[in-house]
Amino acid sequence: MAFAAASLLLQHCSNPAYQPELTSDTVKFFPVNLYIQGQIARVDSLADSIWQINIDNNTGKKDTLLLTKRQFNKLAQYFLTYDISDKKLHPYYKENTFADATTQSFAFNYTALDNTLPLQTVDVLLDQTGRQLKNVFYNIAVTAKDSTIAEKAGWSNDKSFFINRETTYNNNKTVARQTVIVWKFQP
C-alpha cells in the first residue's frame, strides 16, 4: 500500500484539479522522513523487544505479536511513503507554525490545499525548546471505486507508532482497525 500511495500522490500532483501558483520555494518543510529514518535506525540498533498490537474495532478482538526487526522495518515504511520535504509537493501544501499551549509544544502543520490529495495533514510537535521532536501525526484519505479509506497515524519519539484505518464501503459497511507498534530499548 505504501508504494501505491506514494505513486498516487505524485501522479495526482502532476495533473490535479488544483493548480497551485508556482513560486520560488523559500519555506523549508520539516524533514519528517529524515527524522523517521533516524528513528528506524535507532530501533534497529537499540530495541530489545518490539510488539505489535492489533485491534479490530468492529469485533473488539485484540492480539499481540512479538516482531522481528525486519517486520518492524516493513511496517515503519508506511511513514516514509509521503515525503512532504520533496520540493515538488510544496506548492500543494500550506505550512502553519504556532506554539500549542495545550500540548506544550511548538507545532508545524502542513495542510493540503486540494482535498483530493491522499495526504491531507501532517502535524509535527516539538518540545517547547524546539530541540526535541515529540510526535508526528498524519491524516490520510483515499477514495477508491468501492470504498473510502481514512487513516490517522502517529509516531511518538523513541516509544511507538500507530496506524488507525477506517474503511467505509459503498454499501455503508465500515471496517475499523488499529495497529500499534511499541518498543523497548535495551537497558
Side-chain angles (χ1 to χ4, degrees):
M1 166 122 175
F3 177 75
S7 176
L8 177 65
L9 180 64
L10 288 173
Q11 282 178 338
H12 185 86
C13 289
S14 66
N15 190 15
Y18 169 77
Q19 292 294 325
E21 179 181 326
L22 296 176
T23 60
S24 62
D25 188 10
T26 58
V27 176
K28 300 255 190 229
F29 280 29
F30 191 89
V32 176
N33 278 34
L34 190 60
Y35 162 75
I36 297 293
Q37 289 169 355
Q39 285 284 286
I40 292 169
R42 279 183 55 81
V43 171
D44 269 348
S45 62
L46 299 174
D48 185 37
S49 58
I50 307 167
W51 296 91
Q52 177 177 342
I53 303 155
N54 297 310
I55 303 164
D56 183 325
N57 290 357
N58 296 78
T59 65
K61 183 180 175 188
K62 179 178 178 180
D63 61 38
T64 304
L65 310 163
L66 184 61
L67 296 179
T68 65
K69 289 180 181 177
R70 173 178 262 168
Q71 291 168 320
F72 166 83
N73 282 328
K74 186 173 181 179
L75 290 168
Q77 293 305 305
Y78 173 92
F79 288 88
L80 299 175
T81 302
Y82 304 100
D83 186 2
I84 61 167
S85 65
D86 182 343
K87 286 186 177 190
K88 293 175 191 168
L89 298 179
H90 291 191
Y92 299 94
Y93 291 89
K94 178 180 179 184
E95 179 187 57
N96 290 307
T97 58
F98 56 93
D100 185 343
T102 305
T103 61
Q104 298 181 358
S105 303
F106 187 68
F108 294 85
N109 168 266
Y110 303 95
T111 303
L113 297 172
D114 178 355
N115 67 2
T116 62
L117 286 170
L119 180 62
Q120 285 295 296
T121 63
V122 177
D123 292 299
V124 178
L125 302 179
L126 302 176
D127 68 11
Q128 288 182 320
T129 66
R131 294 186 182 140
Q132 179 69 41
L133 194 137
K134 293 167 54 175
N135 302 96
V136 176
F137 299 103
Y138 294 165
N139 284 311
I140 297 163
V142 178
T143 301
K145 194 185 279 188
D146 66 340
S147 61
T148 301
I149 300 169
E151 295 176 332
K152 294 186 183 298
W155 193 291
S156 292
N157 189 57
D158 287 342
K159 295 178 189 170
S160 63
F161 71 77
F162 70 87
I163 302 167
N164 296 340
R165 177 176 292 134
E166 184 174 281
T167 306
T168 303
Y169 295 94
N170 291 344
N171 64 5
N172 292 326
K173 178 183 177 189
T174 299
V175 176
R177 291 193 168 90
Q178 298 176 40
T179 300
V180 180
I181 308 297
V182 296
W183 55 89
K184 178 182 164 209
F185 288 128
Q186 299 171 1

